[in-house]
Amino acid sequence: MGLAKRIIPCLDVDNGRVVKGVQFVDIRDAGDPVEVAKRYNDQGADEITFLDITASSDDRGTTIHMVEAIASEVFIPLTVGGGIRTCDDIRNMLNAGADKVSINTAAIFNPEFVKEAAERFGSQCIVVAIDAKKVSKEGETDRWEIFTHGGRKPTGIDAVEWAKKMVDLGAGEILLTSMDRDGMKNGFDLGVTRAISDAVHVPVIASGGVGNLQHLVDGVTEGKADAVLAASIFHFGEYSIQEAKETMQSAGIEMRL
Amino acid sequence: MTDKTTSTVAVIDYGMGNLHSVAKALEHAADDTTKVIVTSDPALIDAADRVLLPGVGAIRDCVGEMHKQGLVPTIRKAMQEKPFLAICVGIQSLMSHSEENKGVDCLGHFDGNALFFGENHKDNAGQKLKVPHMGWNQVNQTIDHPLWKDIDSGARFYFVHSYFVVPEHASEVAGTCEYGHEFCVALARDNVFAVQFHPEKSHKDGLQLYKNFIHWDGKP
């Protein structure tokens, strides 16, 4: 017996509502963030991730209030991401009750920000989010690149090398989203998940593409992920967190039931 | 209206990290006769009925801030006379020494050291184990204690840490966990209890532990 693998439902929040789109377009409403978070807490989720996908500065106050409301009623770890660009942003989110923050774009424009953040707040609360897409052609050696702007802009940065660099700078966890899978419901990109999990010593959360419970199992057994993140399969009632955990446990994965 | 407060829990604020979640969870676990305060004022800590020492971040800053803010005598005094609970880096700060930050002398309430899991941590089958040890692991209760009341031995608590405590006296171990090897995650002596995990992030069992602390008279 030992450490359990984690299931993390993700709340993509836009203008105060939980939404879910397919590859960041075609948005669908999934409810009030505080209610949704409470439901997952009661269902036995291991953590909750809250991503502010509008992330415009005028919405920042709303996000802080929502994080405060969630943190007052949800006693499991809460990660907040979206538009985290400065140490002040991090401090505000931690003061509002977040346990970890997820840094994405700001790390690409200024990798030293990750180092500064980890030194100031501790690696345990610094998650670096990586949006990766496969760029190798059929028959070539697998290669994945970092993309920004919801998967539209390539950066030329190799995803595995980037993950290693982020951990060297102090990232305590990697949230890996396969952009070509996001919202497609055909499973995680297991290749990039495994490549990054093998390359770093910190936990890796697999995200993007979950369509059924077997995909969660595969993320852990084949992708070697330490945690699996999903949104739409939980938001719209297709599966409960408990069902997902039972399926994973039946597949021989240690879970907190 | 009369003030129904009959007891106070002081959460020591030494300027590190986020104490919001600790205070919120204590408030959630408390009834309306218990008041939770977050403070760095030695007078308020002295006056409180119970004291909670949180711990966030790296040990050097953690112990450094306790010294800098002149809180060490207050913390030592509280550990002599009232129910006292330390969490996460808080448990490490009560040991003699920690390996973190190239070695830091700690408060020495418990004999023993805090050691690093190592970046090449492996399980018995030789599989790589991630460090930090992050997530929900089972806590085996090695003694009966009022703080374990209504919590099953083997219940899972939320951990996030890269260093673990190795006490010299086995009699002080209150709970253990398995991650590559067995290690101590809870220490108890007299009116002091200390845990490596985060009760405030450990859902029902974590809130139960806080509830037990709020009702603890400080006797083992």
Side-chain angles (χ1 to χ4, degrees):
Chain A
M1 300 308 277
L3 188 66
K5 300 296 177 186
R6 291 169 278 154
I7 292 187
I8 308 176
C10 178
L11 281 50
D12 292 303
V13 179
D14 184 20
N15 288 319
R17 300 290 290 177
V18 178
V19 296
K20 188 59 204 174
V22 177
Q23 286 182 319
F24 284 68
V25 290
D26 187 18
I27 303 291
R28 218 176 134 183
D29 189 288
D32 171 66
V34 182
E35 282 170 25
V36 174
K38 269 193 76 173
R39 186 170 80 226
Y40 291 141
N41 175 67
D42 296 343
Q43 282 185 4
D46 297 309
E47 290 191 33
I48 288 174
T49 289
F50 179 113
L51 292 179
D52 178 5
I53 64 167
T54 30
S56 64
S57 50
D58 39 317
D59 284 329
R60 192 41 53 89
T62 321
T63 302
I64 288 175
H65 288 307
M66 251 172 230
V67 170
E68 276 172 356
I70 293 173
S72 300
E73 302 192 52
V74 168
F75 299 103
I76 56 175
L78 174 66
T79 301
V80 179
I84 302 286
R85 293 184 186 90
T86 64
C87 281
D88 280 348
D89 292 336
I90 298 176
R91 199 183 53 222
N92 289 339
M93 287 307 166
L94 296 180
N95 284 341
D99 299 287
K100 313 179 202 176
V101 293
S102 170
I103 304 173
N104 188 345
T105 316
I108 294 168
F109 292 119
N110 178 19
E112 288 298 308
F113 173 48
V114 173
K115 188 175 180 208
E116 190 190 339
E119 280 174 0
R120 185 139 160 217
F121 303 101
S123 291
Q124 83 289 338
C125 67
I126 305 300
V127 182
V128 169
I130 295 180
D131 293 340
K133 229 186 228 188
K134 196 170 192 172
V135 291
S136 51
K137 305 236 162 36
E138 196 75 37
E140 292 176 354
T141 310
D142 286 344
R143 206 180 96 74
W144 300 269
E145 229 176 71
I146 304 291
F147 279 69
T148 60
H149 298 81
R152 293 189 302 277
K153 283 196 181 176
T155 60
I157 302 169
D158 181 83
V160 179
E161 290 307 313
W162 181 250
K164 282 157 73 175
K165 181 174 175 179
M166 291 298 103
V167 172
D168 287 343
L169 288 172
E173 199 170 24
I174 299 288
L175 167 54
L176 171 68
T177 303
S178 17
M179 295 306 296
D180 28 5
R181 301 296 181 108
D182 198 56
M184 299 300 283
K185 294 184 162 272
N186 54 356
F188 299 119
D189 182 331
L190 298 171
V192 71
T193 307
R194 173 137 201 180
I196 289 181
S197 191
D198 283 345
V200 299
H201 62 79
V202 303
V204 172
I205 305 164
S207 153
V210 175
N212 60 48
L213 301 183
Q214 185 59 38
H215 291 152
L216 300 178
V217 172
D218 295 342
V220 172
T221 55
E222 292 179 45
K224 300 287 171 203
D226 301 281
V228 287
L229 180 142
S232 45
I233 60 161
F234 298 130
H235 292 342
F236 302 111
E238 276 172 78
Y239 302 101
S240 69
I241 303 283
Q242 190 64 23
E243 281 174 288
K245 288 188 158 187
E246 283 165 7
T247 301
M248 292 174 79
Q249 173 142 301
S250 302
I253 299 168
E254 187 151 357
M255 302 300 295
R256 162 185 166 255
L257 283 177
Chain B
M1 244 179 67
T2 51
D3 184 1
K4 287 193 282 183
T5 301
T6 55
S7 79
T8 307
V9 182
V11 178
I12 302 180
D13 177 8
Y14 48 96
M16 294 283 297
N18 154 46
L19 305 180
H20 173 104
S21 57
V22 174
K24 284 286 171 205
L26 275 171
E27 278 165 12
H28 198 87
D31 48 37
D32 58 3
T33 61
T34 305
K35 192 175 159 197
V36 178
I37 53 170
V38 177
T39 182
S40 57
D41 182 346
L44 290 177
I45 297 167
D46 273 349
D49 299 285
R50 290 176 181 76
V51 173
L52 189 146
L53 178 68
V56 181
I59 194 77
R60 184 183 53 208
D61 296 339
C62 177
V63 174
E65 282 300 313
M66 288 177 198
H67 281 292
K68 204 164 119 190
Q69 300 196 26
L71 285 167
V72 172
T74 310
I75 292 170
R76 288 196 197 283
K77 186 162 177 270
M79 285 195 289
Q80 294 309 319
E81 56 194 32
K82 61 184 94 177
F84 187 99
L85 175 63
I87 58 175
C88 194
V89 183
I91 189 175
Q92 299 179 14
S93 74
L94 300 188
M95 307 308 291
S96 319
H97 185 85
S98 169
E99 273 189 351
E100 195 176 5
N101 305 128
K102 296 176 182 141
V104 173
D105 285 330
C106 302
L107 303 190
H109 186 79
F110 292 103
D111 292 332
N113 300 324
L115 307 181
F116 186 38
F117 279 118
E119 285 182 5
N120 292 309
H121 196 50
K122 291 191 168 69
D123 66 12
N124 292 334
Q127 289 285 316
K128 179 170 93 168
L129 292 174
K130 300 296 179 74
V131 174
H133 171 229
M134 184 188 284
W136 299 78
N137 207 334
Q138 291 186 297
V139 173
N140 304 303
Q141 300 165 13
T142 52
I143 58 167
D144 275 332
H145 194 281
L147 289 207
W148 291 139
K149 184 174 173 276
D150 294 333
I151 300 171
D152 291 336
S153 185
R156 288 184 185 274
F157 286 86
Y158 187 80
F159 290 85
V160 49
H161 63 123
S162 300
Y163 293 78
F164 62 100
V165 300
V166 183
E168 281 180 22
H169 312 296
S171 59
E172 293 173 342
V173 177
T176 62
C177 187
E178 179 81 29
Y179 193 59
H181 52 74
E182 191 183 36
F183 64 100
C184 169
V185 295
L187 282 167
R189 191 176 79 221
D190 303 328
N191 55 309
V192 176
F193 199 83
V195 295
Q196 180 62 65
F197 50 83
H198 288 272
E200 69 280 4
K201 290 291 142 192
S202 299
H203 205 212
K204 281 185 230 145
D205 289 318
L207 293 174
Q208 181 65 44
L209 193 140
Y210 277 165
K211 193 173 169 190
N212 294 342
F213 175 60
I214 286 164
H215 293 102
W216 186 30
D217 61 6
K219 298 199 176 80

